[in-house]
Amino acid sequence: MTKVKMELKEKIVASYVAFENDVDINSEIHDIRTEAFQNFEKLGFPTKKLEAWKYTSLNSVLKNDFSIFPNKENAIEFADVKKYFIHDIDTYKVVFIDGKYSSFLSDTTHDGKDVCLMSSALSKPKYKSVIKKYFNKIAKQDNLTSLNTAFTNEGAYIYIPKNVEVEKPIQIINFTTGNDVATMIQPRNLVVVEENAHVQIIERHQSLTDNAVLTNSVTEIFSAKNATVDYYKIQNDKDNASLVDNTFIEQKTNSVVSVHTFSFGGNITRNNLNFYQRGEHIDSILKGITIIEGKQHVDHHTLVHHIEPNCESHQDYKGIFDARSTGVFNGKVIVEKEAQKTNAYQQNNNVLVSDKATINAKPQLEIFADDVKCSHGCTIGQLDEDALFYMQQRGIPKKEGKALLMYAFANTVLESVKIPEVKQRINKLIATKLGVHIGFDL
Amino acid sequence: MSKYTEEDLEQELKTKEYEYGFYTDIESETFAKGLNEDVVRAISKKKNEPQWMTDWRIEAFRVWEKMEEPDWANVKYPKPDFQGIAYYSAPKQKPKLNSLDEVDPDLLETFKKLGISLEEQKRLANVAVDIVIDSVSVATTFKKTLGEKGIIFMPISEAIQEHPELVRKHLGTVVPTSDNFYAALNSAVFSDGSFCYIPKGVKCPMELSTYFRINEGGTGQFERTLVVADKGSYVSYLEGCTAPSRDENQLHAAVVELIALDDAEIKYSTVQNWYPGDADGKGGVFNFVTKRGICETNAKISWTQVETGSAVTWKYPSCILKGNNSVGEFYSIAVTNHHQQADTGTKMIHLGKNTKSTIISKGISAGKSQNSYRGLVHVGARAENARNFSQCDSLLMGNACGAHTFPYIEAKNKSAQIEHEATTSKIGEDQLFYCNQRGIDTEKAIALIVNGFSKEVLNKLPMEFAVEAQKLLEISLEGSVG
Amino acid sequence: MLKINNLHASIDDKSILKGLNIEVKAGEIHAIMGPNGAGKSTLANIIAGKEEYEVTDGIIELDGEDISELAPEERAHNGVFLSFQYPVEIPGVSVTNFIKTAINETRKAKGLEDMPAKDMLKMIREKSELLEIDRKFLSRSLNEGFSGGEKKRNEIFQMAMLEPKLAILDETDSGLDIDALRIVANGVNKLKSKDNAVIVITHYQRLLDYIVPDFVHVLHDGKIVKTGDASLALELEAKGYDWIKKELV
Ligand SMILES: Nc1ncnc2c1ncn2[C@@H]1O[C@H](COP(=O)(O)OP(=O)(O)OP(=O)(O)O)[C@@H](O)[C@H]1O
Ligand SMILES: [Mg+2]
């Protein structure tokens, strides 16, 4: 087992030289890459021995023989993948196929804002100051983030200048075609939202194959004063596609950032979502719905770091686990001594539908300030039998009744979704997941 | 200005020294410092132990040697030098006591200072006292009454001699020698402690009580407690501690094992007030305790603790709910002040069907202290209909302390129902004003509010203990900022 | 007994009381009325010594002594009682335990021994009967989960127990049902003597039907703008405040 893991690590380490061949080693960020590479070389892949990975093991995924740089340019027809887009509204699109930019499927812009590619942002002088100021400034120096940083090359680059309200949502989609037996991709996104600006982003990772996929994605989001960012992550991937999503968010005074994570599929999904509040009157919103089955495994690992006074955070994660699936919720709230008058709420509610499903939860509070309101609640339970009976008595079949109850259970999370089309889509996904066809009207 | 300001409070807090800081001068016979197999053998020999006991200790020592001191707890402290500790000390003259008159006058004086003198204790209804001073018992009372019911309550060293079959059968079955670093160390070198056996169907008619003290300078203390409640029996066991003030860190690594057989119930209550170190965080006891109980069918174990002392506390009284319908409870108040650090909580391991557990934890942090709750609720795949309710509340006083909550929840059975809630708060200005308006000064108001905050847990203590605990809460928070 | 002269007070630099005068003598009952936000509760809180408010000018005397430097509990020991408009909840502390502590702390301040438990129980029995309070209620946590009316009744119960010299009742009538209003008012009347005084803050005449004031004051924009006898309250009930505001211009 450990032998196998060494191999992937060795393969990655060995291919770094090849990677360096393809990128500009004189660029600003090359030192960052090199340092991150050394860090990964030292740390290797995470194991269950690390407290942060106590409940999630990547071993089964890491034993695949991943190709690290898919060489071929792969094309796909829009018609074949249309269903993976939120296609009923106009959006900007930044689309990648096997880690390479697809200009054919994308719709980028430089009109008063930049919605484009990381690769060009890293190489063109025009973007130099933004890259210098923001790139890799809040990403953690842990194993997998370092690995991503070392191989940073492609991803979405989004820059919204002061006072700009982006008129339509931006979709970031990573497709994998499975032309290689096992594909590993490492998208790197940077989102900078300046003062008073507003942007909505929808992110999706989608495998088009049954071959193994491992995505190790890193996204850094900077939200300046009074800015608003709404970020939606749709995770409904194939059974053999695993995802480690590392998202880091820094907020300044009066900004509001919300991240909704909808996890309905995939093999192993690990969401590392980190909020750092650097200013007052900040609101951070972290919400998630997880509905999984089979042997799927979803791990939400959140951190909200309250550094300054008068800020809020709201976490609400709901999970429904069927078959042999496993859910993990590890939510940490840190309130620093200076962060007086913090209001931090955390809710994590879970339903186990099957005898073989497992849920592990670890909601933590670390509090160093006294004038704060912090609470967390965590429940594991079943659907309300009385409510179910009541519905059956009124003629609703048990299956639909259950679905309705589960829908109601998850609904609090949907309430804060601001794009109606996304809400509808998630609704449909929930209906499909629950295996019923009743009109889930909003 | 007659106003009592926060600064005044803080000042008072600083000057508030350890109430029971004194040192009893009883001549002791102490082993040279250091630990190796020979020392372990010597301890066993000194105590005239049978071969199986010696072997058991040696095995534990060998396991311990290979282990590393754990560092996952949310506490920071200078690692003890395990070779700098003397592992055995006993009062030189071991008095045979029939009445209090025969007790060492110094010792009596000590207990008087504690406000829990034997006279007072004796007067308290139904309390038998087994005093452990340092590591060897020097007094046991009420033996006769208990004897009539067939209840065995004696120092574990005596039990090893008099009831070897019972001790051998149960010792180490709940906390195996290899369980953790401190448990292994304790198994190798424990000097004494209490043994208690309640026969089938017997309800122990009185609260069993032990007062532990750490006394000899530089001597770590390693008690071992084993309580066995046979089928259908009931016992309430009280444990309370305090220690003399001194500059040197003192290590304490006790092991408590509870065994509740079918339909039995054990109530185990602790009031812990060891020397927490001075206002600058110097000195104080390191308290690394392993406490665990196992419940067979329909059995119940209830842990109640009031923790106000020690510089560093590392303690998780736990229940293995093995039998169907068994019940585990944990009620805890942990107060930290000055530089104290506490990492405490419980583990509820649900293995049997219809098992139930309740966790109520109240943490109060003041001064520069750090107070952590760490708990595990585990529901195994076969534990149908397991229920857990956990409530962890923290109260912060002042802005230099920390309150932390680290609950682990693991459920592998769909019928499990688990509810965990945690809140953090401070004493409200409006609450203080309301009390002030009714003529209650700020300090008294804080005591009142803290008492209210801790009520659910205080209520679980036996009467005579509740009074003492309430007093302790007040003492340990005296002068804290609201 | 109470003499307030030219009182100015503010909070967060917002000025609320702007030169308020009032004098209350032993044996008197004063009613203070006035529109929402006029500063009635502020006045009550300042008399009781709440620190949030900054007294920028004026004097407050109790029995001829300046009390503005006294802590809230010292004022309470001197006989000032405030029945709060919004009484706070103190979880885990029973009404009985709370009142016992309050009484004994006040006695301590006066150099008296704790009240013997026997006397305390007797007093609790008497006063709870006077106010028709179910004694089961007294073992509940202070104000926690109490209904609005229960909170108010509990305030008056505490007043009865503490036997204050000067009682300030801040909208004690709001939230009380018709029977409770009568019971509470009767309680207040029974406790009334020539040696103590009561300030009633209220919006409605119905309380004043029971507790008949010697003086009625109208507090508007931080000042007492009109003072009259009991008939002023009736006039206000009929006409509202507008006519007074107009008179001012
Ligand atoms: N703590 C505070 N912070 C800010 N403003 C305050 C505070 N307390 C009172 N105020 C303001 O002072 C003014 C007077 O308030 P107060 O409560 O004294 O009014 P009131 O006359 O009692 O009104 P009501 O009849 O509604 O009870 C109001 O405008 C109120 O908003
Ligand atoms: Mg008011």
Side-chain angles (χ1 to χ4, degrees), chain A residues 51 54-55 332 336-338 340 352-382, chain B residues 74 370 374 376 381 384 387 396-426 482:
Chain A
E51 179 66 22
K54 186 179 161 77
Y55 294 118
K332 190 184 215 169
E336 294 292 349
K337 195 166 150 180
E338 292 72 27
Q340 293 291 1
L352 292 177
V353 183
S354 121
D355 277 331
K356 298 279 178 346
T358 301
I359 169 81
N360 297 310
K362 197 184 160 200
Q364 309 159 69
L365 297 174
E366 287 195 55
I367 297 172
F368 297 93
D370 62 338
D371 192 6
V372 298
K373 283 206 192 87
C374 297
S375 66
H376 68 218
C378 175
T379 62
I380 299 171
Q382 305 83 46
Chain B
N74 193 21
Q370 299 298 328
R374 186 182 302 276
L376 168 69
E384 290 291 323
R387 298 278 176 276
L396 287 124
M397 305 174 76
N399 201 21
C401 54
H404 317 289
T405 322
F406 305 100
Y408 292 71
I409 302 159
E410 305 173 351
K412 295 193 193 307
N413 187 299
K414 73 164 179 179
S415 61
Q417 274 194 26
I418 301 175
E419 261 178 83
H420 172 96
E421 279 170 33
T423 63
T424 300
S425 55
K426 71 173 229 165

Side-chain angles (χ1 to χ4, degrees), chain A residues 294-360:
Chain A
K295 285 189 186 167
Q296 293 168 338
H297 179 113
V298 171
D299 179 352
H300 290 290
H301 218 86
T302 68
L303 166 72
V304 179
H305 198 161
H306 288 273
I307 303 166
E308 298 196 31
N310 300 311
C311 294
E312 299 197 7
S313 65
H314 300 265
Q315 297 191 53
D316 187 2
Y317 281 84
K318 297 277 161 79
I320 297 172
F321 304 92
D322 202 348
R324 293 172 167 274
S325 66
T326 304
V328 181
F329 177 78
N330 188 321
K332 190 184 215 169
V333 173
I334 303 177
V335 180
E336 294 292 349
K337 195 166 150 180
E338 292 72 27
Q340 293 291 1
K341 308 260 181 219
T342 291
N343 281 349
Y345 301 96
Q346 188 187 71
Q347 263 301 320
N348 170 231
N349 304 308
N350 304 286
V351 173
L352 292 177
V353 183
S354 121
D355 277 331
K356 298 279 178 346
T358 301
I359 169 81
N360 297 310

Side-chain angles (χ1 to χ4, degrees), chain B residues 1-4 429-431 433-442 444 448-449 451-453 455 470, chain C residues 50-51 69 71-74 76-77 80-82 84 88-89 91-93 98 101-102 105 143 155 158:
Chain B
M1 273 282 287
S2 53
K3 218 63 243 96
Y4 194 65
E429 291 298 329
D430 48 350
Q431 286 176 327
F433 180 62
Y434 188 88
C435 293
N436 290 160
Q437 206 298 306
R438 299 294 139 95
I440 302 168
D441 69 25
T442 302
K444 189 85 194 171
L448 200 66
I449 293 167
N451 222 302
F453 174 79
K455 195 65 158 260
Q470 211 154 324
Chain C
K50 193 163 187 170
E51 280 155 49
E69 290 296 306
E73 64 268 27
E74 292 168 321
H77 298 159
V80 175
F81 179 91
L82 169 60
F84 287 83
V88 302
E89 302 183 354
V93 178
F98 181 77
T101 312
E105 287 296 306
N143 290 328
E155 291 291 283
Q158 290 184 35

